[in-house]
Amino acid sequence: MTTERPSVNINVKELDTGSWVMFELPGFTTASSGTERSSLDALRQASDTSYYKGNGSLWVKVVSTGDVLGSGPGRGPGAGDSLQVSR
């Protein structure tokens, strides 16, 4: 992903529990949550939301905890899983 913004919110929803997506974010350096991993390989093997900083990029893996239905009649899926990345 490429953007000039100083921070970006990443949100995933409608994924089965344990499903994941991974992003390479050139120029970004911090993630608001998740576990820091020591290598890209360790990030690939992680089973929870995690990140790795290396080679001028922040790599983020967001692992879904599953959709949680909203409360009340007619409510759809909840907000999903999210984190913020910053430069």
Side-chain angles (χ1 to χ4, degrees):
M1 180 176 92
T2 303
T3 181
E4 296 297 320
R5 296 182 65 132
S7 64
V8 173
N9 293 316
I10 297 174
N11 181 282
V12 297
K13 57 192 302 185
E14 299 184 19
L15 293 176
D16 293 333
T17 302
S19 296
W20 55 270
V21 293
M22 193 159 38
F23 301 92
E24 178 184 10
L25 304 154
F28 284 80
T29 58
T30 61
S32 65
S33 61
T35 304
E36 185 170 9
R37 301 297 173 174
S38 60
S39 68
L40 193 51
D41 189 49
L43 180 66
R44 287 186 182 110
Q45 294 178 23
S47 60
D48 60 336
T49 295
S50 303
Y51 62 92
Y52 165 70
K53 295 183 275 188
N55 300 325
S57 289
L58 179 67
W59 291 80
V60 176
K61 180 177 183 178
V62 182
V63 180
S64 177
T65 57
D67 266 342
V68 178
L69 293 178
S71 60
R75 300 288 295 212
D81 299 285
S82 64
L83 60 88
Q84 184 180 67
V85 295
S86 302
R87 294 188 187 276

